[in-house]
Amino acid sequence: MKLTPTQLEQYQNEGYTLVRGLIPRKEVAAVRARLMELLEDFPAWGERKMQVLDPSKYRNAKGQMIPVGVQLPAQEEEVFRAVADHPNLQAAMAQLLGGSVKRFTDQALIKNKDIDGQSFYHQDSYYWHINPELGCNCWIALDEVGKDAIALGILPGTHQSWTLTPHEQYFDDPKPCSASNGQPYQRWRIPFSQIDFSKEIMLPMSPGDGAFFTNFTWHRADPNRSGMHKCAYAIAYQRQ
């Protein structure tokens, strides 16, 4: 996997770049299939790593909790590690970050067909506190994604000051909960008053495409109004 000069320049100047066909479809299909299994059969290892729909309101046919996010799944199963440590991903990260890299974290996302949830503009370093220019996130589509189907929105150039914009806390609707205690949790977003949506770039993607962006780039995800489950796998690396 060798990135083009245009991709490298776009990442440096605009804070993101899109790599088509980053991961072979067979491997992303295996991750998606495993996520669909988790909807039907909650894993024994999942309680401490799962974010779920409110368990007091939402249960699957077996009466189990319904996951919407899986933290650090590559620690648990090879099907996730095959993508999280894929040579194409590692090679692209090394080129973008300019040196040897290691995986920092990973999160699988399940955007339920019956839930209109979305994410709002934020910067990953507000959560992770990785030093400027040393971290990069890759958001890998496991489905066809587009408008109203969880596509990423990016605000180009928002990384250039390498500073964190003040965020505010909010609850999603419906509120996601920790599987370990059933309690809802808040997330962080950049206040709407700070956002110029006219500069937004939306990224329609196919399974296996990877959107790379810095930990300071403002980004969000569109709602899922497609009528189908939509999945993605977000994997962060840092320079060693």
Side-chain angles (χ1 to χ4, degrees):
M1 171 62 64
K2 186 170 178 59
L3 302 182
T4 68
T6 298
Q7 288 171 322
L8 294 171
E9 181 178 2
Q10 183 182 42
Y11 182 82
Q12 292 298 322
N13 294 339
E14 299 184 28
Y16 81 99
T17 196
L18 179 61
V19 179
R20 300 288 185 188
L22 175 72
I23 306 295
R25 288 201 175 207
K26 181 179 180 179
E27 290 169 271
V28 296
V31 171
R32 189 190 191 281
R34 182 60 180 133
L35 292 176
M36 292 301 97
E37 291 175 354
L38 299 184
L39 291 178
E40 304 300 328
D41 193 9
F42 200 81
W45 52 264
E47 189 169 290
R48 70 188 185 280
K49 292 188 173 180
M50 294 285 188
Q51 293 138 1
V52 299
L53 294 176
D54 184 345
S56 68
K57 298 179 180 179
Y58 301 95
R59 296 276 177 167
N60 65 16
K62 295 181 178 181
Q64 301 169 330
M65 292 181 285
I66 299 176
V68 293
V70 189
Q71 299 292 332
L72 303 173
Q75 289 184 351
E76 302 294 337
E77 296 184 357
E78 176 58 30
V79 66
F80 296 102
R81 284 193 294 275
V83 173
D85 296 333
H86 196 280
N88 286 352
L89 177 58
Q90 292 177 337
M93 287 290 188
Q95 292 168 73
L96 293 170
L97 292 175
S100 179
V101 296
K102 63 179 179 180
R103 175 159 47 86
F104 175 72
T105 191
D106 62 306
Q107 179 185 25
L109 307 170
I110 306 171
K111 303 295 186 177
N112 196 287
K113 67 181 179 64
D114 299 317
I115 304 298
D116 194 9
Q118 61 182 305
S119 70
F120 298 98
Y121 271 109
H122 63 280
Q123 296 167 291
D124 285 338
S125 268
Y126 206 86
Y127 293 92
W128 298 340
H129 307 295
I130 297 177
N131 290 335
E133 302 185 72
L134 297 185
C136 179
N137 193 13
C138 183
W139 193 94
I140 300 170
L142 306 182
D143 289 287
E144 294 287 341
V145 304
K147 182 175 174 53
D148 290 331
I150 79 166
L152 281 181
I154 298 283
L155 285 177
T158 45
H159 70 300
Q160 291 178 348
S161 67
W162 298 113
T163 58
L164 291 176
T165 299
H167 287 50
E168 63 184 9
Q169 286 188 295
Y170 72 98
F171 280 110
D172 285 312
D173 184 19
K175 298 182 178 106
C177 299
S178 168
S180 61
N181 58 22
Q183 295 301 305
Y185 61 88
Q186 291 181 303
R187 296 199 290 174
W188 293 95
R189 67 185 177 193
I190 296 168
F192 296 137
S193 61
Q194 303 298 309
I195 300 168
D196 183 354
F197 284 94
S198 70
K199 296 181 179 179
E200 180 177 66
I201 302 294
M202 296 298 293
L203 299 179
M205 296 165 65
S206 296
D209 293 349
F212 292 83
F213 46 90
T214 81
N215 291 336
F216 283 72
T217 302
W218 297 17
H219 62 283
R220 71 174 185 92
D222 231 21
N224 183 19
R225 297 170 182 151
S226 67
M228 299 179 290
H229 297 315
K230 294 287 183 178
C231 300
Y233 194 8
I235 305 153
Y237 272 69
Q238 62 180 341
R239 196 170 73 206
Q240 297 193 83

